[in-house]
Amino acid sequence: MGKFTNKTVDGAKRLFALLVVLILLFSFLAHMFATNFGRVKIEQINIDARGALLDGELYYPVGTSAK
């Protein structure tokens, strides 16, 4: 763990790069869990209810249509 330190510029850059990679990896995993590994589509919806704006997420299986 000596290479990943904020005491040197090179170590701070390595630590920063490691943290960015971890953030991207865990963001990808969170997206995969939320969409059941690509089998569920998530769509943002907005509903105007008498002047009040309701925001929400609509979850539905991939490949479905209005038919």
Side-chain angles (χ1 to χ4, degrees):
M1 193 69 182
K3 293 183 180 183
F4 299 100
T5 180
N6 60 355
K7 296 185 189 283
T8 64
V9 173
D10 191 40
K13 287 180 183 178
R14 287 181 181 170
L15 184 61
F16 179 74
L18 175 68
L19 293 175
V20 168
V21 168
L22 287 174
I23 288 171
L24 292 174
L25 175 68
F26 285 112
S27 297
F28 174 74
L29 288 174
H31 176 72
M32 293 306 290
F33 285 133
T35 61
N36 199 15
F37 295 95
R39 292 188 290 250
V40 175
K41 186 174 180 182
I42 303 172
E43 184 177 324
Q44 297 289 331
I45 60 171
N46 297 321
I47 300 170
D48 185 14
R50 297 183 191 176
L53 187 61
L54 302 172
D55 294 327
E57 294 178 339
L58 179 63
Y59 293 80
Y60 55 94
V62 171
T64 58
S65 65
K67 293 180 183 180

